[in-house]
């Protein structure tokens, strides 16, 4: 997902015709590592820095340092609270709420649900859990029997749900923070009937939504990795003196069997299972698919 996010940044930079260089700082780590990377990018003379933050607050001081040097800072995928930064995200609270509402309705308002979250403490996970809990309040017959942190790793999520199924816990539905197709696969591995699963618009999950019918019902809540391209477009607009909303927020859509004609075109059998399906986020991205 993050590799595709970076590709979209590069593609939008190329399509703009005004960006001379894109410098990538990409590693596993938390706020300390990101602060060091941001300082290095400031020293390298970056005019704009696009961040996928590991914390909503911990980067504020270094973002202020960038701002003092005239560097435009755009946070993508997850929000930051730094006043000088611009945010470009999916509406992550809505992501959690919409998927949970679909699942609880699918279950008729009763049943045991597993909540499979992302990374503890990061803004997107906190926001999605907020949305999940908002939906849960309206469904007193729903019981969350297990809650896990997948780290947004597909293999990890698949193993977690398999362990839960093999433990004998009754599971009537699964909400995931985008780690989806391996969760669906785990039901077959465990020899259990499929239950409704909420995932994201990942390539293999879209295939499952079609290929496994009518035994399996699921819903994909959109969270395009190409939000990186939107962040690049915003950064380039800011550098050109444009006026941009302080928080550009994408509205997630729910894709299920009811609106299949609207989304089935996004599945591409040539792409990897984990590929985020939407190459464009209009009207923001202007690169070609080939770019």
């Amino acid at each position: 997902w993050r590799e595709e996010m970076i590709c979209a940044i590069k593609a939008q930079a190329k399509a703009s015709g005004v960006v001379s260089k894109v410098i990538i700082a990409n590693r596993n780590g938390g706020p300390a590592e990101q602060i060091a990377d941001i300082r290095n990018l400031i020293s390298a003379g970056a005019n704009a820095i696009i961040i996928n933050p590991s914390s909503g607050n911990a980067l504020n001081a270094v973002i202020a340092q960038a701002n003092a040097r005239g560097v435009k800072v755009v946070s993508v995928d997850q929000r930051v609270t730094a006043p000088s930064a611009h945010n470009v995200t999916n509406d992550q609270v809505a992501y959690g709420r919409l998927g949970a509402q679909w699942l609880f309705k699918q279950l008729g308002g009763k049943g045991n649900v597993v909540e499979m979250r992302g990374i503890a403490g990061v803004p997107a996970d906190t926001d999605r859990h907020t949305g999940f809990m908002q939906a849960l309040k309206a469904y007193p017959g729903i019981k969350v029997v297990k809650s896990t942190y997948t780290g947004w790793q597909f293999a990890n999520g698949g193993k977690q749900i398999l362990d839960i199924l093999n433990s004998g816990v009754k599971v009537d539905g699964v909400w995931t923070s985008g780690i989806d197709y391996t969760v669906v696969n785990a039901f077959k591995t465990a020899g259990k009937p499929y239950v409704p699963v909420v995932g994201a618009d990942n390539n293999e999950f879209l295939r499952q939504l079609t290929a496994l019918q009518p035994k399996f019902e699921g819903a994909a809540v959109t969270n395009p990795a190409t939000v990186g391209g939107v962040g690049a477009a915003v950064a380039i607009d800011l550098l050109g003196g444009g006026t941009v909303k302080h928080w550009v927020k994408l509205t997630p859509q729910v894709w299920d069997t009811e609106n299949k004609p609207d989304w089935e075109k996004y599945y591409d059998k040539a792409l990897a299972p984990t590929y985020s399906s939407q190459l464009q986020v209009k009207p923001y991205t202007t690169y070609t698919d080939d770019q």
Side-chain angles (χ1 to χ4, degrees), residues 159-221:
K159 183 180 185 305
Q160 286 176 352
I161 194 65
L162 185 60
D163 289 344
I164 292 169
L165 294 174
N166 288 336
S167 74
V169 173
K170 186 174 184 294
V171 177
D172 300 307
V174 183
W175 178 94
T176 80
S177 191
I179 299 304
D180 39 42
Y181 79 91
T182 52
V183 170
V184 177
N185 290 342
F187 281 85
K188 183 176 181 180
T189 301
K192 305 283 186 181
Y194 292 118
V195 302
V197 174
V198 174
D201 49 338
N202 300 311
N203 199 48
E204 175 61 11
F205 189 57
L206 295 188
R207 187 196 69 81
Q208 290 174 331
L209 291 181
T210 299
L212 299 182
Q213 284 235 315
K215 295 181 179 180
F216 169 64
E217 285 286 343
V221 185

Short mmCIF file of all heavy atoms in Angstrom, two decimals, residues 159-221:
data_model
loop_
_atom_site.label_atom_id
_atom_site.label_comp_id
_atom_site.label_asym_id
_atom_site.label_seq_id
_atom_site.Cartn_x
_atom_site.Cartn_y
_atom_site.Cartn_z
N LYS A 159 -3.25 -15.09 10.18
CA LYS A 159 -2.91 -15.99 11.29
C LYS A 159 -3.76 -15.69 12.52
O LYS A 159 -4.22 -16.61 13.22
CB LYS A 159 -1.43 -15.88 11.64
CG LYS A 159 -1.00 -16.84 12.75
CD LYS A 159 0.47 -16.71 13.07
CE LYS A 159 0.90 -17.77 14.07
NZ LYS A 159 0.09 -17.75 15.32
N GLN A 160 -3.99 -14.41 12.79
CA GLN A 160 -4.78 -14.04 13.96
C GLN A 160 -6.20 -14.60 13.89
O GLN A 160 -6.70 -15.19 14.86
CB GLN A 160 -4.81 -12.52 14.11
CG GLN A 160 -3.53 -11.91 14.60
CD GLN A 160 -3.58 -10.40 14.63
OE1 GLN A 160 -4.52 -9.77 14.14
NE2 GLN A 160 -2.55 -9.77 15.21
N ILE A 161 -6.86 -14.43 12.73
CA ILE A 161 -8.23 -14.92 12.64
C ILE A 161 -8.26 -16.44 12.63
O ILE A 161 -9.19 -17.06 13.17
CB ILE A 161 -8.95 -14.32 11.41
CG1 ILE A 161 -10.47 -14.56 11.51
CG2 ILE A 161 -8.40 -14.87 10.12
CD1 ILE A 161 -11.16 -13.85 12.64
N LEU A 162 -7.25 -17.06 12.05
CA LEU A 162 -7.19 -18.53 12.06
C LEU A 162 -7.08 -19.04 13.49
O LEU A 162 -7.75 -20.01 13.87
CB LEU A 162 -6.00 -19.01 11.22
CG LEU A 162 -5.88 -20.53 11.03
CD1 LEU A 162 -7.11 -21.09 10.32
CD2 LEU A 162 -4.62 -20.85 10.23
N ASP A 163 -6.24 -18.39 14.29
CA ASP A 163 -6.10 -18.78 15.71
C ASP A 163 -7.41 -18.60 16.45
O ASP A 163 -7.79 -19.43 17.30
CB ASP A 163 -5.00 -17.95 16.38
CG ASP A 163 -3.61 -18.33 15.90
OD1 ASP A 163 -3.45 -19.40 15.29
OD2 ASP A 163 -2.67 -17.52 16.14
N ILE A 164 -8.12 -17.51 16.15
CA ILE A 164 -9.41 -17.26 16.81
C ILE A 164 -10.42 -18.33 16.42
O ILE A 164 -11.13 -18.88 17.28
CB ILE A 164 -9.93 -15.85 16.45
CG1 ILE A 164 -9.04 -14.78 17.08
CG2 ILE A 164 -11.38 -15.67 16.89
CD1 ILE A 164 -9.30 -13.37 16.57
N LEU A 165 -10.47 -18.67 15.15
CA LEU A 165 -11.42 -19.69 14.69
C LEU A 165 -11.10 -21.05 15.29
O LEU A 165 -12.00 -21.79 15.71
CB LEU A 165 -11.40 -19.77 13.16
CG LEU A 165 -11.90 -18.54 12.40
CD1 LEU A 165 -11.68 -18.70 10.90
CD2 LEU A 165 -13.39 -18.29 12.70
N ASN A 166 -9.81 -21.38 15.36
CA ASN A 166 -9.41 -22.69 15.92
C ASN A 166 -9.57 -22.76 17.43
O ASN A 166 -9.56 -23.85 18.01
CB ASN A 166 -7.96 -22.99 15.53
CG ASN A 166 -7.81 -23.34 14.06
OD1 ASN A 166 -8.77 -23.79 13.42
ND2 ASN A 166 -6.63 -23.12 13.50
N SER A 167 -9.72 -21.59 18.07
CA SER A 167 -9.90 -21.58 19.52
C SER A 167 -11.32 -21.94 19.94
O SER A 167 -11.58 -22.16 21.12
CB SER A 167 -9.55 -20.19 20.08
OG SER A 167 -10.58 -19.25 19.77
N GLY A 168 -12.21 -21.98 18.98
CA GLY A 168 -13.59 -22.33 19.29
C GLY A 168 -14.50 -21.14 19.54
O GLY A 168 -15.70 -21.31 19.78
N VAL A 169 -13.96 -19.92 19.49
CA VAL A 169 -14.79 -18.73 19.66
C VAL A 169 -15.77 -18.62 18.50
O VAL A 169 -15.38 -18.77 17.34
CB VAL A 169 -13.91 -17.46 19.74
CG1 VAL A 169 -14.78 -16.21 19.74
CG2 VAL A 169 -13.03 -17.49 20.96
N LYS A 170 -17.03 -18.39 18.80
CA LYS A 170 -18.05 -18.25 17.76
C LYS A 170 -17.89 -16.88 17.10
O LYS A 170 -17.92 -15.85 17.77
CB LYS A 170 -19.44 -18.39 18.33
CG LYS A 170 -20.56 -18.39 17.28
CD LYS A 170 -21.91 -18.68 17.93
CE LYS A 170 -23.01 -18.79 16.89
NZ LYS A 170 -23.27 -17.52 16.19
N VAL A 171 -17.72 -16.87 15.79
CA VAL A 171 -17.53 -15.64 15.02
C VAL A 171 -18.61 -15.55 13.96
O VAL A 171 -18.73 -16.43 13.11
CB VAL A 171 -16.13 -15.60 14.36
CG1 VAL A 171 -15.99 -14.35 13.50
CG2 VAL A 171 -15.02 -15.67 15.40
N ASP A 172 -19.40 -14.48 14.03
CA ASP A 172 -20.47 -14.28 13.06
C ASP A 172 -20.11 -13.25 11.99
O ASP A 172 -20.77 -13.19 10.94
CB ASP A 172 -21.75 -13.83 13.77
CG ASP A 172 -22.23 -14.85 14.78
OD1 ASP A 172 -22.39 -16.02 14.40
OD2 ASP A 172 -22.43 -14.48 15.96
N GLY A 173 -19.09 -12.43 12.24
CA GLY A 173 -18.68 -11.41 11.28
C GLY A 173 -17.35 -10.83 11.67
O GLY A 173 -16.95 -10.89 12.84
N VAL A 174 -16.64 -10.28 10.68
CA VAL A 174 -15.31 -9.72 10.93
C VAL A 174 -15.22 -8.34 10.28
O VAL A 174 -15.49 -8.19 9.09
CB VAL A 174 -14.20 -10.62 10.38
CG1 VAL A 174 -12.82 -10.03 10.72
CG2 VAL A 174 -14.31 -12.04 10.91
N TRP A 175 -14.84 -7.35 11.09
CA TRP A 175 -14.49 -6.03 10.56
C TRP A 175 -12.97 -5.93 10.55
O TRP A 175 -12.31 -6.19 11.56
CB TRP A 175 -15.05 -4.92 11.45
CG TRP A 175 -14.69 -3.53 11.01
CD1 TRP A 175 -15.42 -2.71 10.20
CD2 TRP A 175 -13.51 -2.79 11.33
NE1 TRP A 175 -14.78 -1.52 10.00
CE2 TRP A 175 -13.59 -1.54 10.69
CE3 TRP A 175 -12.37 -3.07 12.10
CZ2 TRP A 175 -12.59 -0.56 10.79
CZ3 TRP A 175 -11.38 -2.10 12.20
CH2 TRP A 175 -11.50 -0.87 11.56
N THR A 176 -12.40 -5.59 9.40
CA THR A 176 -10.95 -5.42 9.32
C THR A 176 -10.61 -4.00 8.90
O THR A 176 -11.38 -3.35 8.19
CB THR A 176 -10.30 -6.39 8.31
OG1 THR A 176 -10.46 -5.88 6.98
CG2 THR A 176 -10.89 -7.79 8.40
N SER A 177 -9.45 -3.56 9.32
CA SER A 177 -8.94 -2.25 8.94
C SER A 177 -8.16 -2.36 7.64
O SER A 177 -7.08 -1.79 7.50
CB SER A 177 -8.07 -1.67 10.05
OG SER A 177 -7.77 -0.32 9.81
N GLY A 178 -8.70 -3.15 6.69
CA GLY A 178 -8.09 -3.27 5.38
C GLY A 178 -7.23 -4.50 5.18
O GLY A 178 -6.67 -4.70 4.10
N ILE A 179 -7.10 -5.35 6.19
CA ILE A 179 -6.37 -6.63 6.04
C ILE A 179 -7.45 -7.67 5.86
O ILE A 179 -8.01 -8.18 6.83
CB ILE A 179 -5.49 -6.90 7.27
CG1 ILE A 179 -4.46 -5.80 7.42
CG2 ILE A 179 -4.83 -8.26 7.18
CD1 ILE A 179 -3.57 -5.58 6.20
N ASP A 180 -7.77 -7.99 4.62
CA ASP A 180 -9.04 -8.64 4.32
C ASP A 180 -8.96 -10.01 3.67
O ASP A 180 -9.48 -10.99 4.18
CB ASP A 180 -9.89 -7.71 3.45
CG ASP A 180 -9.07 -6.97 2.40
OD1 ASP A 180 -8.18 -7.59 1.78
OD2 ASP A 180 -9.31 -5.76 2.19
N TYR A 181 -8.25 -10.12 2.53
CA TYR A 181 -8.36 -11.37 1.76
C TYR A 181 -7.76 -12.56 2.50
O TYR A 181 -8.25 -13.69 2.38
CB TYR A 181 -7.76 -11.21 0.36
CG TYR A 181 -6.26 -11.29 0.27
CD1 TYR A 181 -5.62 -12.50 0.05
CD2 TYR A 181 -5.47 -10.14 0.40
CE1 TYR A 181 -4.23 -12.57 -0.04
CE2 TYR A 181 -4.10 -10.20 0.31
CZ TYR A 181 -3.48 -11.43 0.09
OH TYR A 181 -2.11 -11.49 0.00
N THR A 182 -6.73 -12.33 3.31
CA THR A 182 -6.16 -13.43 4.09
C THR A 182 -7.10 -13.85 5.21
O THR A 182 -7.09 -15.02 5.63
CB THR A 182 -4.80 -13.03 4.68
OG1 THR A 182 -4.94 -11.78 5.40
CG2 THR A 182 -3.75 -12.86 3.60
N VAL A 183 -7.92 -12.93 5.69
CA VAL A 183 -8.93 -13.27 6.68
C VAL A 183 -9.98 -14.18 6.06
O VAL A 183 -10.40 -15.18 6.65
CB VAL A 183 -9.57 -11.98 7.25
CG1 VAL A 183 -10.79 -12.29 8.10
CG2 VAL A 183 -8.54 -11.21 8.06
N VAL A 184 -10.42 -13.84 4.85
CA VAL A 184 -11.38 -14.68 4.13
C VAL A 184 -10.79 -16.07 3.89
O VAL A 184 -11.45 -17.09 4.12
CB VAL A 184 -11.80 -14.03 2.80
CG1 VAL A 184 -12.75 -14.93 2.03
CG2 VAL A 184 -12.45 -12.67 3.06
N ASN A 185 -9.52 -16.11 3.47
CA ASN A 185 -8.87 -17.39 3.21
C ASN A 185 -8.81 -18.27 4.46
O ASN A 185 -8.87 -19.50 4.38
CB ASN A 185 -7.44 -17.18 2.69
CG ASN A 185 -7.41 -16.61 1.29
OD1 ASN A 185 -8.40 -16.67 0.55
ND2 ASN A 185 -6.28 -16.05 0.89
N ALA A 186 -8.68 -17.63 5.63
CA ALA A 186 -8.54 -18.39 6.88
C ALA A 186 -9.78 -19.22 7.18
O ALA A 186 -9.67 -20.30 7.79
CB ALA A 186 -8.25 -17.43 8.03
N PHE A 187 -10.95 -18.77 6.77
CA PHE A 187 -12.16 -19.54 7.01
C PHE A 187 -12.12 -20.86 6.24
O PHE A 187 -12.50 -21.91 6.77
CB PHE A 187 -13.41 -18.72 6.63
CG PHE A 187 -13.79 -17.72 7.68
CD1 PHE A 187 -13.19 -16.47 7.71
CD2 PHE A 187 -14.73 -18.04 8.64
CE1 PHE A 187 -13.54 -15.54 8.69
CE2 PHE A 187 -15.08 -17.13 9.62
CZ PHE A 187 -14.48 -15.88 9.66
N LYS A 188 -11.63 -20.81 5.00
CA LYS A 188 -11.49 -22.04 4.23
C LYS A 188 -10.45 -22.95 4.85
O LYS A 188 -10.65 -24.17 4.97
CB LYS A 188 -11.11 -21.71 2.79
CG LYS A 188 -11.02 -22.94 1.89
CD LYS A 188 -10.73 -22.54 0.45
CE LYS A 188 -10.66 -23.78 -0.45
NZ LYS A 188 -10.38 -23.41 -1.86
N THR A 189 -9.32 -22.38 5.28
CA THR A 189 -8.26 -23.17 5.92
C THR A 189 -8.77 -23.85 7.18
O THR A 189 -8.43 -25.01 7.46
CB THR A 189 -7.06 -22.27 6.27
OG1 THR A 189 -6.58 -21.65 5.08
CG2 THR A 189 -5.94 -23.06 6.92
N ALA A 190 -9.59 -23.14 7.96
CA ALA A 190 -10.12 -23.69 9.21
C ALA A 190 -11.31 -24.62 8.99
O ALA A 190 -11.77 -25.26 9.95
CB ALA A 190 -10.53 -22.54 10.13
N GLY A 191 -11.77 -24.71 7.75
CA GLY A 191 -12.93 -25.56 7.48
C GLY A 191 -14.22 -24.99 8.04
O GLY A 191 -15.14 -25.74 8.38
N LYS A 192 -14.29 -23.66 8.12
CA LYS A 192 -15.47 -22.99 8.68
C LYS A 192 -16.26 -22.31 7.56
O LYS A 192 -15.68 -21.84 6.58
CB LYS A 192 -15.04 -21.93 9.70
CG LYS A 192 -14.15 -22.43 10.83
CD LYS A 192 -14.94 -23.19 11.86
CE LYS A 192 -14.05 -23.54 13.05
NZ LYS A 192 -14.81 -24.31 14.07
N PRO A 193 -17.58 -22.23 7.71
CA PRO A 193 -18.37 -21.48 6.73
C PRO A 193 -17.97 -20.00 6.73
O PRO A 193 -17.62 -19.45 7.78
CB PRO A 193 -19.81 -21.65 7.24
CG PRO A 193 -19.78 -22.80 8.17
CD PRO A 193 -18.41 -22.83 8.77
N TYR A 194 -18.03 -19.40 5.56
CA TYR A 194 -17.72 -17.97 5.48
C TYR A 194 -18.73 -17.16 6.29
O TYR A 194 -19.91 -17.53 6.40
CB TYR A 194 -17.77 -17.49 4.03
CG TYR A 194 -16.68 -18.05 3.15
CD1 TYR A 194 -17.00 -18.85 2.04
CD2 TYR A 194 -15.35 -17.78 3.40
CE1 TYR A 194 -16.01 -19.35 1.22
CE2 TYR A 194 -14.34 -18.27 2.58
CZ TYR A 194 -14.68 -19.07 1.49
OH TYR A 194 -13.69 -19.57 0.68
N VAL A 195 -18.24 -16.06 6.85
CA VAL A 195 -19.11 -15.08 7.49
C VAL A 195 -18.86 -13.73 6.81
O VAL A 195 -17.85 -13.57 6.13
CB VAL A 195 -18.82 -14.97 9.02
CG1 VAL A 195 -19.00 -16.33 9.69
CG2 VAL A 195 -17.44 -14.39 9.28
N PRO A 196 -19.74 -12.77 6.99
CA PRO A 196 -19.50 -11.46 6.38
C PRO A 196 -18.20 -10.83 6.88
O PRO A 196 -17.90 -10.85 8.07
CB PRO A 196 -20.71 -10.64 6.82
CG PRO A 196 -21.78 -11.65 7.08
CD PRO A 196 -21.07 -12.83 7.64
N VAL A 197 -17.43 -10.27 5.93
CA VAL A 197 -16.14 -9.64 6.25
C VAL A 197 -16.10 -8.26 5.60
O VAL A 197 -16.46 -8.11 4.42
CB VAL A 197 -14.95 -10.48 5.74
CG1 VAL A 197 -13.62 -9.73 5.96
CG2 VAL A 197 -14.91 -11.84 6.44
N VAL A 198 -15.66 -7.28 6.36
CA VAL A 198 -15.44 -5.92 5.83
C VAL A 198 -13.95 -5.73 5.61
O VAL A 198 -13.13 -6.03 6.48
CB VAL A 198 -15.95 -4.85 6.82
CG1 VAL A 198 -15.58 -3.46 6.33
CG2 VAL A 198 -17.45 -4.98 7.01
N GLY A 199 -13.58 -5.27 4.42
CA GLY A 199 -12.18 -5.00 4.11
C GLY A 199 -12.04 -3.68 3.39
O GLY A 199 -12.88 -2.78 3.53
N ALA A 200 -10.97 -3.56 2.62
CA ALA A 200 -10.72 -2.35 1.84
C ALA A 200 -10.75 -2.70 0.36
O ALA A 200 -10.98 -3.85 -0.02
CB ALA A 200 -9.38 -1.72 2.24
N ASP A 201 -10.47 -1.71 -0.48
CA ASP A 201 -10.54 -1.91 -1.94
C ASP A 201 -9.22 -2.50 -2.45
O ASP A 201 -8.61 -1.97 -3.38
CB ASP A 201 -10.88 -0.60 -2.64
CG ASP A 201 -10.04 0.58 -2.19
OD1 ASP A 201 -9.47 0.53 -1.08
OD2 ASP A 201 -9.94 1.57 -2.93
N ASN A 202 -8.81 -3.61 -1.85
CA ASN A 202 -7.61 -4.33 -2.28
C ASN A 202 -7.96 -5.30 -3.39
O ASN A 202 -9.05 -5.89 -3.42
CB ASN A 202 -6.99 -5.07 -1.10
CG ASN A 202 -6.58 -4.13 0.02
OD1 ASN A 202 -5.92 -3.13 -0.21
ND2 ASN A 202 -7.01 -4.44 1.24
N ASN A 203 -7.03 -5.52 -4.30
CA ASN A 203 -7.31 -6.24 -5.53
C ASN A 203 -7.87 -7.64 -5.30
O ASN A 203 -8.90 -8.02 -5.86
CB ASN A 203 -6.03 -6.31 -6.38
CG ASN A 203 -6.30 -6.62 -7.83
OD1 ASN A 203 -7.17 -6.00 -8.45
ND2 ASN A 203 -5.57 -7.57 -8.39
N GLU A 204 -7.23 -8.44 -4.46
CA GLU A 204 -7.69 -9.80 -4.24
C GLU A 204 -9.03 -9.84 -3.50
O GLU A 204 -9.86 -10.71 -3.77
CB GLU A 204 -6.64 -10.60 -3.46
CG GLU A 204 -7.04 -12.01 -3.06
CD GLU A 204 -7.35 -12.94 -4.23
OE1 GLU A 204 -7.06 -12.59 -5.40
OE2 GLU A 204 -7.88 -14.04 -3.99
N PHE A 205 -9.25 -8.93 -2.59
CA PHE A 205 -10.53 -8.89 -1.89
C PHE A 205 -11.66 -8.58 -2.86
O PHE A 205 -12.75 -9.16 -2.75
CB PHE A 205 -10.48 -7.87 -0.75
CG PHE A 205 -11.68 -7.91 0.16
CD1 PHE A 205 -12.03 -9.08 0.82
CD2 PHE A 205 -12.45 -6.78 0.37
CE1 PHE A 205 -13.14 -9.12 1.68
CE2 PHE A 205 -13.55 -6.80 1.22
CZ PHE A 205 -13.90 -7.97 1.88
N LEU A 206 -11.41 -7.70 -3.82
CA LEU A 206 -12.43 -7.42 -4.84
C LEU A 206 -12.74 -8.68 -5.64
O LEU A 206 -13.91 -8.94 -5.96
CB LEU A 206 -11.96 -6.31 -5.77
CG LEU A 206 -11.77 -4.91 -5.17
CD1 LEU A 206 -11.50 -3.90 -6.27
CD2 LEU A 206 -12.95 -4.49 -4.31
N ARG A 207 -11.72 -9.47 -5.94
CA ARG A 207 -11.97 -10.74 -6.65
C ARG A 207 -12.83 -11.66 -5.80
O ARG A 207 -13.79 -12.27 -6.31
CB ARG A 207 -10.65 -11.43 -6.99
CG ARG A 207 -10.81 -12.67 -7.88
CD ARG A 207 -9.58 -13.54 -7.88
NE ARG A 207 -9.39 -14.18 -6.58
CZ ARG A 207 -10.04 -15.29 -6.20
NH1 ARG A 207 -10.92 -15.86 -6.99
NH2 ARG A 207 -9.79 -15.81 -5.01
N GLN A 208 -12.52 -11.76 -4.52
CA GLN A 208 -13.30 -12.63 -3.63
C GLN A 208 -14.76 -12.19 -3.55
O GLN A 208 -15.66 -13.04 -3.48
CB GLN A 208 -12.68 -12.62 -2.23
CG GLN A 208 -11.34 -13.33 -2.15
CD GLN A 208 -10.70 -13.18 -0.78
OE1 GLN A 208 -10.91 -12.18 -0.09
NE2 GLN A 208 -9.91 -14.17 -0.38
N LEU A 209 -15.00 -10.88 -3.55
CA LEU A 209 -16.37 -10.39 -3.45
C LEU A 209 -17.23 -10.88 -4.60
O LEU A 209 -18.45 -10.99 -4.47
CB LEU A 209 -16.38 -8.86 -3.43
CG LEU A 209 -15.81 -8.17 -2.18
CD1 LEU A 209 -15.92 -6.66 -2.31
CD2 LEU A 209 -16.49 -8.64 -0.92
N THR A 210 -16.58 -11.17 -5.73
CA THR A 210 -17.30 -11.68 -6.90
C THR A 210 -17.22 -13.21 -6.99
O THR A 210 -18.24 -13.89 -7.12
CB THR A 210 -16.72 -11.06 -8.18
OG1 THR A 210 -16.89 -9.65 -8.14
CG2 THR A 210 -17.44 -11.61 -9.41
N ALA A 211 -16.01 -13.75 -6.88
CA ALA A 211 -15.78 -15.17 -7.16
C ALA A 211 -16.37 -16.11 -6.11
O ALA A 211 -16.71 -17.24 -6.43
CB ALA A 211 -14.28 -15.43 -7.29
N LEU A 212 -16.46 -15.65 -4.87
CA LEU A 212 -16.91 -16.54 -3.80
C LEU A 212 -18.41 -16.44 -3.52
O LEU A 212 -18.91 -17.08 -2.60
CB LEU A 212 -16.13 -16.24 -2.51
CG LEU A 212 -14.62 -16.45 -2.58
CD1 LEU A 212 -13.98 -16.17 -1.23
CD2 LEU A 212 -14.28 -17.87 -3.04
N GLN A 213 -19.10 -15.68 -4.31
CA GLN A 213 -20.56 -15.60 -4.16
C GLN A 213 -21.19 -16.91 -4.64
O GLN A 213 -20.66 -17.55 -5.55
CB GLN A 213 -21.09 -14.44 -4.97
CG GLN A 213 -20.82 -13.11 -4.33
CD GLN A 213 -22.09 -12.31 -4.14
OE1 GLN A 213 -22.92 -12.21 -5.03
NE2 GLN A 213 -22.26 -11.76 -2.97
N PRO A 214 -22.30 -17.38 -4.10
CA PRO A 214 -23.08 -16.73 -3.03
C PRO A 214 -22.68 -17.18 -1.62
O PRO A 214 -23.34 -16.80 -0.65
CB PRO A 214 -24.50 -17.20 -3.35
CG PRO A 214 -24.31 -18.57 -3.89
CD PRO A 214 -23.00 -18.55 -4.65
N LYS A 215 -21.61 -17.99 -1.51
CA LYS A 215 -21.23 -18.49 -0.18
C LYS A 215 -20.67 -17.39 0.72
O LYS A 215 -20.72 -17.50 1.94
CB LYS A 215 -20.19 -19.61 -0.33
CG LYS A 215 -20.70 -20.87 -1.02
CD LYS A 215 -19.63 -21.92 -1.09
CE LYS A 215 -20.15 -23.20 -1.75
NZ LYS A 215 -19.09 -24.24 -1.82
N PHE A 216 -20.11 -16.35 0.09
CA PHE A 216 -19.46 -15.30 0.86
C PHE A 216 -20.04 -13.94 0.52
O PHE A 216 -20.23 -13.60 -0.65
CB PHE A 216 -17.95 -15.30 0.57
CG PHE A 216 -17.23 -14.09 1.12
CD1 PHE A 216 -17.15 -13.88 2.49
CD2 PHE A 216 -16.64 -13.16 0.27
CE1 PHE A 216 -16.50 -12.76 3.00
CE2 PHE A 216 -15.98 -12.04 0.77
CZ PHE A 216 -15.92 -11.84 2.14
N GLU A 217 -20.33 -13.16 1.56
CA GLU A 217 -20.77 -11.77 1.41
C GLU A 217 -19.76 -10.87 2.12
O GLU A 217 -19.41 -11.13 3.27
CB GLU A 217 -22.16 -11.56 2.02
CG GLU A 217 -23.30 -12.12 1.20
CD GLU A 217 -23.59 -11.30 -0.05
OE1 GLU A 217 -23.15 -10.13 -0.12
OE2 GLU A 217 -24.27 -11.84 -0.96
N GLY A 218 -19.32 -9.86 1.42
CA GLY A 218 -18.38 -8.92 2.02
C GLY A 218 -18.61 -7.52 1.51
O GLY A 218 -19.42 -7.29 0.60
N ALA A 219 -17.88 -6.59 2.10
CA ALA A 219 -17.96 -5.19 1.67
C ALA A 219 -16.58 -4.58 1.74
O ALA A 219 -15.85 -4.76 2.72
CB ALA A 219 -18.93 -4.40 2.53
N ALA A 220 -16.20 -3.85 0.70
CA ALA A 220 -14.94 -3.13 0.66
C ALA A 220 -15.21 -1.65 0.89
O ALA A 220 -16.06 -1.06 0.23
CB ALA A 220 -14.25 -3.33 -0.70
N VAL A 221 -14.50 -1.08 1.85
CA VAL A 221 -14.60 0.36 2.10
C VAL A 221 -13.35 1.01 1.49
O VAL A 221 -12.23 0.62 1.81
CB VAL A 221 -14.70 0.67 3.60
CG1 VAL A 221 -14.91 2.16 3.82
CG2 VAL A 221 -15.82 -0.13 4.24
#
